[in-house]
Amino acid sequence: MGHHASNRARGFKGRVRYVLRFLIPLLLVLMGLAWGTAWFVDRSHSAQLVTDLAARADLLAGSVDAATPEGWSPPDAAVLRAPLQQALQSPGVVIAGATDPTGRIFAAFGGSEFGAELAGVVPHGGPPARLDRQQTLAGQSVLLSVVPVMRGGAPVGAVILAQDLGRAAARRAGLRDATMGAFAALAVLAALATLVSVRFTWSAWTAQMRALLSGRAPAPRDPKLARAMHELIDASLEDRAGRDGGWDPERLRRSLRSQLHGERLVLLANREPYIHVKDRQGQLRVLHPASGLVTALEPVMRACSGTWVAHGSGAADREVVDARDRLRVPPGEESYVLRRVWLSEEEEQGYYYGFANEGLWPLCHIVHTAPIFRGSDWRTYRDVNRRFAHAVCEEADGEDPIVLVQDYHYALAPRQIRQRLPRATVLSFWHIPWPHAERLAICPWHVEVLTGLLGSSIVGFHTQQHCNNFIDSVDRFLEARIDREEGAVWFRGRRTLVRAYPISIEWPSRVAQAAPPREECRARVLSELGLRADVLLGVGVDRVDYTKGLEERVLAVEELLQQRPEFRGRFTFVQLAAPSRTAIPAYKDLNQRLEEAAARVNAALGTAEWKPFILLREHHEPDVVMRYYRAADVCYVSSLHDGMNLVAKEFVAARDDLHGVLVLSSFTGAARDLKEALLVNPYDIEEAASALGRALDMPPEEQARRMRALRAQVAEFNVYRWAGRLVHDAAGLRRAERRGTRLAGLEGSVV
């Protein structure tokens, strides 16, 4: 008995030594990583905070500048009181003041305890210069910003802003503590796993952790431990995904690798990114369709790889695909696959022109065009959706692919895909507005449309209002459980998230980077149009569609020239109008009315040498559109109802010269993002004409200030950030679903 006791004691000591041999180094490494990570996060957060506060100072100073166009000549504290006190109301701002051209402070608002020290730390005795410096005033840590105010190219003074860094320091400490806590928790979990699994080697344990992080390993035997580990993993991934920083193709690829483990995307869209045709000489040509959807998604597919499934609509499309109707695109880069699906003329007529564009399109856009619904169109739409869903399933790599279903052409496809691939993660994005429930009821098959979309894991819209309309429609017409706070719908045992994802464009724009300088673009455009070098040029870029407000645009130009006769002979508006859906009677009528309106205005106000409105009704390649963007003095987007409208953001991306003015309809999704544009009601012709006149009169300094703010917005919230949010949410859903499946089986076995 003593012998056995001695052996047990030696065995226990041996196991302890075996554990301690790699447990102690493991703990030391983890604590070292915790300290290093906490230090790096703290330093990165501090640098990013200073950058963000400096940018915020620019915006606040711009607001003060805009509110006081004549307030610095001579310096007048009374004039500046209201805008400076308004700036002082912004969270974290403790001082708001102003200096004269020599740097002398003549107006300051905030705590009196700062006054004595402020004059000593603000440079004076010369023209104001931009300054962002961390400073201690009256024992309080602040970021002191001096933003020069320019008039006629010379500084006339400066805006002084001091922003509190104390709360930011507390947040940094909290973030540092959270990072240390997360690593400490991981260290404890690692120790527990080691103690209960002595027989496993270090390499086996590491391999198991990698598999667990990838979502492919079985859960630990203890359900509580499994939940704790997954919660820790989720928190780490969400923190990394939500961290501030610029989004670009490489960051999107990293996000895919880390959250979806490099899985390929399958994207379903009616419009293909490249169309093959033959010219009159029989030479094969590749065209880029005029489509906001393509503009947004094509850069994402180049970054993410995968397969784009679309209708093959080009006259020469069949000549370039392989035996499985595939080809690699873009030409010369070949970073992803284009899978083409063929439709007969009858199918295209019923599915595309019929139900999608004579039915759903006018139903969703409030433009006073009555939707037309035919039973034959609906049946074709349903069958075509099934064909495209089948093609998507053929392109999937496994049983749980990531599928992005795009727009109103495929309302039924998400459920059809779900029926064949129950474990798929399906993200549907509806690029046009979603109508309110009463209007949706006009469609005889509104229940089927809602049911089809609820086959998605996530349904996305451009704005929260469209999300609310969708949830209201589900609440009105389906037996479903709705969580409005979470934005979730439970239908037939599955949860669908409803989220707002405002879409954007590629940044930086490859087309803009490749374009010639503004002077060269302008000279070429004016030469092509036969216009004088000193002409003021307006531009519009649209498909010929009744939602774009093209007739109202012509009337606004006419009203401008009647209000402001001095612009006659000096201002010309050029409309790049790509033909669209010409087989539909409403579009044929629009083309004719648009031509007649342009001809009437030119006849009434134009001369033999000058036309006020030039209508170019043809397809234009992206480099040509970019040339017009750069040449223009003003771009007018007059949509009567639009989901987003990416033309507005394309114009902003084109203007790296910081000139040009965007006049934007308030009925676009873009109006919620691009606040520095001149926002108008396109139905109010006098208001639109006045905005065009204001744009043409705007001084270069104001143009630059507005354009700088617009470009900052588009750069930060670019299409890669949009896709990154989708990927992050999709990854969270997949982890939750896989975890739920594993834990359900595990708890069943425990019971």
Side-chain angles (χ1 to χ4, degrees):
M1 184 174 178
H3 176 71
H4 290 300
S6 176
N7 285 341
R8 283 197 301 270
R10 283 196 299 270
F12 175 77
K13 292 178 181 179
R15 287 194 296 272
V16 170
R17 285 195 300 270
Y18 178 78
V19 169
L20 293 179
R21 244 193 338 263
F22 59 86
L23 179 59
I24 292 176
L26 172 63
L27 292 174
L28 291 175
V29 168
L30 286 173
M31 295 309 296
L33 284 173
W35 182 88
T37 303
W39 175 85
F40 177 77
V41 169
D42 184 71
R43 183 172 180 180
S44 301
H45 187 271
S46 177
Q48 185 63 47
L49 175 67
V50 171
T51 301
D52 290 345
L53 291 181
R56 186 160 171 257
D58 279 336
L59 293 175
L60 292 173
S63 299
V64 174
D65 184 9
T68 56
E70 299 176 358
W72 264 272
S73 184
D76 189 343
V79 172
L80 288 170
R81 175 181 299 275
L84 288 175
Q85 288 185 338
Q86 184 176 1
L88 192 63
Q89 299 304 312
S90 298
V93 178
V94 297
I95 301 177
T99 76
D100 64 15
T102 68
R104 182 182 62 84
I105 300 173
F106 67 89
F109 301 93
S112 59
E113 67 272 15
F114 302 111
E117 298 184 35
L118 184 62
V121 297
V122 175
H124 57 276
R130 178 57 198 259
L131 172 70
D132 292 294
R133 183 172 65 197
Q134 297 187 47
Q135 187 75 40
T136 300
L137 295 177
Q140 183 172 348
S141 178
V142 300
L143 178 70
L144 181 67
S145 298
V146 178
V147 184
V149 176
M150 312 298 288
R151 295 285 191 273
V156 298
V159 174
I160 304 170
L161 292 165
Q163 301 180 71
D164 181 23
L165 292 175
R167 288 184 295 178
R171 288 196 300 270
R172 286 166 49 199
L175 181 61
R176 182 175 61 247
D177 294 341
T179 305
M180 291 289 290
F183 273 89
L186 183 61
V188 170
L189 291 173
L192 291 174
T194 304
L195 290 173
V196 299
S197 307
V198 174
R199 68 177 183 275
F200 292 127
T201 64
W202 169 260
S203 60
W205 183 87
T206 303
Q208 183 180 7
M209 282 299 297
R210 283 200 300 266
L212 181 61
L213 285 168
S214 71
R216 295 185 175 87
R221 294 185 60 83
D222 184 351
K224 292 183 179 180
L225 177 60
R227 285 197 182 91
M229 294 188 74
H230 279 295
E231 287 171 2
L232 180 63
I233 293 166
D234 286 353
S236 174
L237 289 172
E238 288 170 8
D239 177 70
R240 180 171 55 189
R243 198 175 301 150
D244 287 339
W247 278 89
D248 56 21
E250 181 54 36
R251 181 173 178 184
L252 184 57
R253 278 190 285 266
R254 290 199 306 269
S255 183
L256 278 173
R257 285 196 298 268
S258 64
Q259 299 200 59
L260 300 181
H261 313 294
E263 298 177 58
R264 295 166 60 250
L265 300 178
V266 182
L267 185 147
L268 172 60
N270 177 73
R271 193 67 62 93
E272 54 183 339
Y274 298 93
I275 299 173
H276 289 82
V277 298
K278 286 188 175 180
D279 58 22
R280 295 179 179 177
Q281 290 73 39
Q283 297 296 316
L284 195 66
R285 292 184 59 205
V286 181
L287 301 180
H288 303 270
S291 166
L293 182 148
V294 170
T295 298
L297 294 176
E298 213 269 332
V300 174
M301 290 302 291
R302 287 200 314 270
C304 299
S305 188
T307 302
W308 184 314
V309 179
H311 171 212
S313 58
D317 278 358
R318 291 180 184 267
E319 300 182 20
V320 295
V321 297
D322 62 17
R324 302 180 67 185
D325 298 322
R326 297 180 175 93
L327 75 154
R328 298 198 68 84
V329 291
E333 183 180 333
E334 300 183 347
S335 55
Y336 64 95
V337 173
L338 173 59
R339 163 72 185 277
R340 285 171 169 159
V341 177
W342 316 109
L343 298 177
S344 67
E345 289 186 14
E346 293 77 11
E347 288 173 323
E348 188 174 1
Q349 181 63 45
Y351 141 78
Y352 179 75
Y353 291 107
F355 189 78
N357 286 306
E358 285 188 289
L360 290 179
W361 179 267
L363 178 76
C364 293
H365 290 87
I366 305 174
V367 290
H368 316 298
T369 298
I372 299 172
F373 293 105
R374 309 178 187 91
S376 59
D377 291 343
W378 163 252
R379 289 186 289 273
T380 304
Y381 180 88
R382 180 190 58 203
D383 295 343
V384 169
N385 267 241
R386 187 175 294 113
R387 286 185 56 193
F388 276 95
H390 176 73
V392 166
C393 294
E394 287 184 334
E395 298 299 327
D397 284 340
E399 295 181 355
D400 57 349
I402 305 292
V403 181
L404 275 65
V405 178
Q406 301 297 311
D407 225 354
Y408 62 101
H409 307 92
Y410 302 112
L412 308 182
R415 183 153 300 279
Q416 293 166 344
I417 294 169
R418 176 78 59 204
Q419 289 168 349
R420 294 193 56 179
L421 297 173
R423 295 171 55 198
T425 301
V426 182
L427 290 77
S428 296
F429 194 82
W430 194 268
H431 288 262
I432 63 177
W434 186 270
H436 53 74
E438 289 78 6
R439 186 172 176 86
L440 179 68
I442 295 173
C443 174
W445 301 280
H446 58 274
V447 170
E448 289 85 345
V449 169
L450 288 169
T451 302
L453 285 170
L454 289 177
S456 310
S457 309
I458 301 175
V459 179
F461 299 93
H462 289 303
T463 70
Q464 187 58 47
Q465 181 60 55
H466 299 157
C467 294
N468 296 343
N469 287 350
F470 179 80
I471 291 176
D472 289 343
S473 300
V474 173
D475 195 17
R476 175 82 173 269
F477 300 117
L478 298 180
E479 291 292 332
R481 180 163 61 89
I482 295 173
D483 184 338
R484 292 182 181 270
E485 184 174 350
E486 184 190 11
V489 175
W490 289 90
F491 182 67
R492 295 182 180 175
R494 288 194 61 87
R495 183 181 66 159
T496 298
L497 299 181
V498 183
R499 295 285 186 268
Y501 302 100
I503 202 168
S504 191
I505 61 171
E506 176 185 30
W507 187 282
S509 166
R510 292 179 305 116
V511 181
Q513 289 180 315
R518 184 203 179 215
E519 294 75 13
E520 183 179 337
C521 290
R522 183 173 175 84
R524 184 169 175 181
V525 166
L526 297 182
S527 174
E528 292 172 351
L529 299 175
L531 299 175
R532 301 197 316 264
D534 62 344
V535 72
L536 296 170
L537 189 65
V539 68
V541 180
D542 305 88
R543 293 181 302 104
V544 180
D545 192 292
Y546 51 74
T547 66
K548 302 302 181 183
L550 300 180
E551 294 175 275
E552 289 77 9
R553 199 172 300 177
V554 177
L555 295 177
V557 171
E558 179 183 31
E559 180 68 20
L560 168 68
L561 298 175
Q562 291 174 344
Q563 287 182 4
R564 306 280 298 275
E566 66 269 24
F567 285 128
R568 296 185 186 182
R570 294 180 53 218
F571 173 65
T572 294
F573 194 94
V574 182
Q575 178 62 51
L576 276 60
S580 176
R581 303 167 189 167
T582 52
I584 297 177
Y587 286 81
K588 288 183 180 179
D589 295 343
L590 173 63
N591 275 275
Q592 182 176 347
R593 294 197 307 271
L594 184 59
E595 292 242 4
E596 291 173 352
R600 180 183 58 78
V601 171
N602 288 334
L605 299 174
T607 66
E609 296 79 22
W610 168 73
K611 288 183 179 180
F613 199 96
I614 297 176
L615 181 61
L616 302 178
R617 287 203 314 125
E618 58 187 81
H619 173 78
H620 295 86
E621 287 293 292
D623 59 325
V624 177
V625 173
M626 183 60 61
R627 193 157 63 238
Y628 276 83
Y629 283 148
R630 285 183 179 263
D633 296 288
V634 58
C635 176
Y636 183 25
V637 175
S638 58
S639 297
L640 305 180
H641 195 198
D642 222 331
M644 176 55 67
N645 193 289
L646 296 180
V647 166
K649 297 186 177 184
E650 290 176 358
F651 176 71
V652 169
R655 300 315 296 256
D656 52 11
D657 61 337
L658 301 183
H659 285 79
V661 181
L662 175 63
V663 179
L664 178 61
S665 165
S666 59
F667 301 133
T668 63
R672 292 165 172 80
D673 300 334
L674 306 181
K675 300 295 188 182
E676 292 298 322
L678 300 183
L679 302 181
V680 299
N681 175 358
Y683 288 100
D684 188 338
I685 303 303
E686 292 184 0
E687 180 190 29
S690 297
L692 289 173
R694 181 184 173 192
L696 296 173
D697 291 335
M698 189 176 292
E701 295 84 359
E702 184 179 354
Q703 291 185 35
R705 179 181 60 79
R706 288 177 178 271
M707 189 58 68
R708 188 177 292 110
L710 291 170
R711 287 174 62 83
Q713 169 72 21
V714 177
E716 181 176 0
F717 297 94
N718 60 25
V719 74
Y720 302 113
R721 186 185 183 117
W722 172 82
R725 286 188 58 206
L726 283 173
V727 166
H728 172 63
D729 289 352
L733 278 177
R734 286 162 70 83
R735 289 194 302 271
E737 289 174 356
R738 289 172 172 174
R739 182 188 319 148
T741 301
R742 292 197 301 269
L743 288 177
L746 180 60
E747 289 174 342
S749 65
V750 171
V751 173

